[in-house]
Amino acid sequence: MVFIMLATTGWTAVHRPEKEAQLRVAALGAWAKARVDGRPVPPADAPARTVARFFAGLDGAQRARLADGYPLVVGNLDGAPAAVRYRANLQGLEQARQVEEARSHDVTLTPADRSTATRRSHRFASLTEPGRQILAFDPTGNGRVAEVFGDLTGAERVSVIVPGVDTDVLTFERTQRRLTSPVGMAESLYEAQRAAAPDSRTAVIAWAGYTAPTGIGVDAATGRMAVDGAVLLKSLTAALPGNASVALFCHSYGSVVCGVAAHELPRRVTDVVVAGSPGMRAENVAGLHTSARVWATRDEGDWIADVPHLEVGGLGHGADPVSPAFGARLMSSARAKSHTGYFAPGTDSMDNFAKIGTGAFASVVCATGNDACRRGISGTEQD
């Protein structure tokens, strides 16, 4: 019945009309012709290792010129140094802000479009505030963005927040209901990690780097957007600097993205944590074909439990990750409230996320009240 409703009520994703200047398209065209002292730059879709080798051969001035001259490309180049991407994205955000500012006063647009342009202009301005580290930014459509908390280059452990539906540049951060936004989730996790392990070198990424479904509709009930998101998630994790281990914290539809990506994630991804998951498009952990530990949690009051955990004709995301048969490590989420409370301070879920993100597996609180979720992990009391 749920799937019939989704397919027939018209609750499908609605995307903002693409009327603003195609900044990213223009930037890609310019980048294709770019040269550094006569040498061509790598293609915008080059593998991260190719991009990394290219930037390793540049001096500081050359890197800065590319960041300032082609910000909407360099800011999204997996393999480019983080500091270069931060610099580029400040420039790209300012370019996009100016476009939206102009649109907000364009009388040929509808009042709704002018209002949206005003909101986007304010959001882009907010993202350029001092101290912010924007790892990726693309204003196209509903937009994509990622932000780093902590020292990404020096981190020994990196946590990535993979959010669910209704995630775009406007919902990337919120003043009201802060912990329902990727920025709020990432800030909360980073603060919890620093409190749990002050001497640990960690970084957290708020990743709204894929096009997420809008609303609880057909797009949210299928894997189409998750497939596209999985490609981008794989690229992100493979391109992170250094040798840091990576933990993914996948909320709601974000767990579908993580499930689809699982079999191609690099081995540095040691943990995949899903909270409030509608399914991972696999029947069990073995079906994910990953070497990473898979953890799952769901609050008792989370409405996602009422979504049928099956896949029929492309609708649905398969087995329930918190069912014993799925085989995930089940951890407690006590005191989390409903579907959006997993990242709230003081909840078992947040405490457990921080422990996994800092490698303190021996103190993770299992959902079963025993040590079942910790068994077999090197360094725990049960090993």
Side-chain angles (χ1 to χ4, degrees), residues 133 198 228 285 362 370 381:
Q133 301 177 131
D228 294 340
V285 167
N370 54 27
E381 296 176 357

Side-chain angles (χ1 to χ4, degrees), residues 7-97:
T8 61
T9 58
W11 289 0
T12 53
V14 178
H15 299 286
R16 190 173 66 88
E18 192 65 39
K19 294 182 180 179
E20 72 270 39
Q22 295 293 315
L23 290 178
R24 170 80 170 159
V25 173
L28 288 169
W31 178 258
K33 303 173 184 177
R35 297 289 186 274
V36 177
D37 294 336
R39 290 179 295 148
V41 298
D45 59 353
R49 60 182 178 276
T50 300
V51 174
R53 283 198 299 269
F54 172 77
F55 274 90
L58 303 180
D59 60 29
Q62 290 170 324
R63 293 179 179 186
R65 284 200 301 272
L66 288 178
D68 295 345
Y70 309 91
L72 289 172
V73 177
V74 175
N76 297 290
L77 277 181
D78 286 334
V84 175
R85 293 178 67 169
Y86 299 159
R87 176 177 179 137
N89 285 318
L90 285 177
Q91 302 291 334
L93 281 159
E94 177 56 23
Q95 287 185 9
R97 188 201 65 77

Side-chain angles (χ1 to χ4, degrees), residues 40 53 77-78 102 114 130 161 224 245 288 292 334 339 369 374:
R53 283 198 299 269
L77 277 181
D78 286 334
R114 292 199 300 272
I161 305 293
R224 179 178 64 87
S245 62
L288 293 172
H339 189 61
R374 303 190 299 265

Side-chain angles (χ1 to χ4, degrees), residues 185-228:
M185 295 176 186
E187 285 179 325
S188 183
L189 178 57
Y190 185 57
E191 291 166 3
Q193 288 181 354
R194 295 188 68 184
D199 297 327
S200 179
R201 289 187 292 159
T202 64
V204 178
I205 300 175
W207 186 72
Y210 78 106
T211 299
T214 301
I216 309 299
V218 172
D219 281 340
T222 65
R224 179 178 64 87
M225 289 184 166
V227 170
D228 294 340

Side-chain angles (χ1 to χ4, degrees), residues 311-355:
E311 190 276 325
V312 178
L315 289 173
H317 302 302
D320 186 352
V322 301
S323 66
F326 192 82
R329 298 172 181 271
L330 303 181
M331 58 186 184
S332 173
S333 59
R335 294 183 294 280
K337 294 182 180 179
S338 189
H339 189 61
T340 57
Y342 295 101
F343 289 85
T347 60
D348 277 14
S349 51
M350 186 73 265
D351 290 346
N352 282 331
F353 295 167
K355 291 167 183 174

Side-chain angles (χ1 to χ4, degrees), residues 10 33 53 57 79 169 193 236 269 333-334 377 380:
K33 303 173 184 177
R53 283 198 299 269
V169 293
Q193 288 181 354
L236 169 79
V269 178
S333 59
I377 301 177
T380 65

